[in-house]
Amino acid sequence: MTESAALDPEDRKIVTLARSARARNGVPEGAAVRDETGRTYVAGTVALDSLQLSALRTAVAMAVASGAESLEAAAVVSGAEAVTDEDLAAVRDLGGAGTPVFLAGADGEVRVRVEAG
C-alpha cells in the first residue's frame, strides 16, 4: 500500500484528475498521464460496440495525439487490484520502463505503485 499523502504534489494532481474523470463520466476507470513538459491528459474508459479502451490506454493515446514525446507518470482510478499488462505496455511504449504508474481506489487512495517496465 502507498500512502497518498506522501505523493509528490504533481503525482497527487494526476490521481485527483483521474478520480474526477471517473466520477464525472460515470465510467469504471479514470486515468491521467503527465508528459515530459508537465502537460496532463485525462480520460475515462471507452466502451463502444466497435471500440474498447481502458482509461489509461485512452489517456496515453491522447498524449501521443497531442504530440507528447515521453511520460513522467501515470495514474488510474479503478476498482481493479492491479494495473493490466496492456496498460503498463502503453505507458512503457511512451514513457519507458521506469515510468511510475499509480493505481488508486474510488476514494483516491493509492493502493499500488508500479513501474511500467
Side-chain angles (χ1 to χ4, degrees), residues 62-102:
M62 291 172 64
V64 170
S66 296
E69 295 180 8
S70 183
L71 294 179
E72 291 182 347
V76 61
V77 173
S78 172
E81 295 298 319
V83 182
T84 68
D85 291 341
E86 295 85 2
D87 283 352
L88 291 174
V91 172
R92 184 174 55 248
D93 284 350
L94 186 57
T99 306
V101 179
F102 303 98

Side-chain angles (χ1 to χ4, degrees), residues 18-19 21-23 25-31 43-46 53-57 76-80 82-84 87 103:
R19 185 176 181 215
R22 181 179 188 258
N25 297 322
V27 291
E29 296 179 337
T45 308
V46 174
L53 286 173
S54 71
L56 190 49
R57 281 179 270 164
V76 61
V77 173
S78 172
V83 182
T84 68
D87 283 352
L103 173 62

Side-chain angles (χ1 to χ4, degrees), residues 2-3 6 12 30 40-41 43 48 50 63 69 75 78 86 88-89 92 95 99 109 115:
T2 301
E3 185 158 332
R12 179 84 235 145
T40 57
Y41 306 88
L48 302 173
S50 62
E69 295 180 8
S78 172
E86 295 85 2
L88 291 174
R92 184 174 55 248
T99 306
E109 286 299 312
E115 292 187 352

Side-chain angles (χ1 to χ4, degrees), residues 7 11 31 57 66-67 73 96-97 99 111-112:
L7 289 178
D11 294 337
R57 281 179 270 164
S66 296
T99 306
R111 298 187 310 251
V112 176

Side-chain angles (χ1 to χ4, degrees), residues 10-58:
E10 292 300 311
D11 294 337
R12 179 84 235 145
K13 176 182 171 183
I14 61 172
V15 171
T16 299
L17 289 169
R19 185 176 181 215
S20 296
R22 181 179 188 258
R24 179 179 58 251
N25 297 322
V27 291
E29 296 179 337
V33 299
R34 185 177 62 249
D35 74 8
E36 76 283 358
T37 68
R39 290 180 296 184
T40 57
Y41 306 88
V42 182
T45 308
V46 174
L48 302 173
D49 289 339
S50 62
L51 180 63
Q52 303 281 319
L53 286 173
S54 71
L56 190 49
R57 281 179 270 164
T58 303

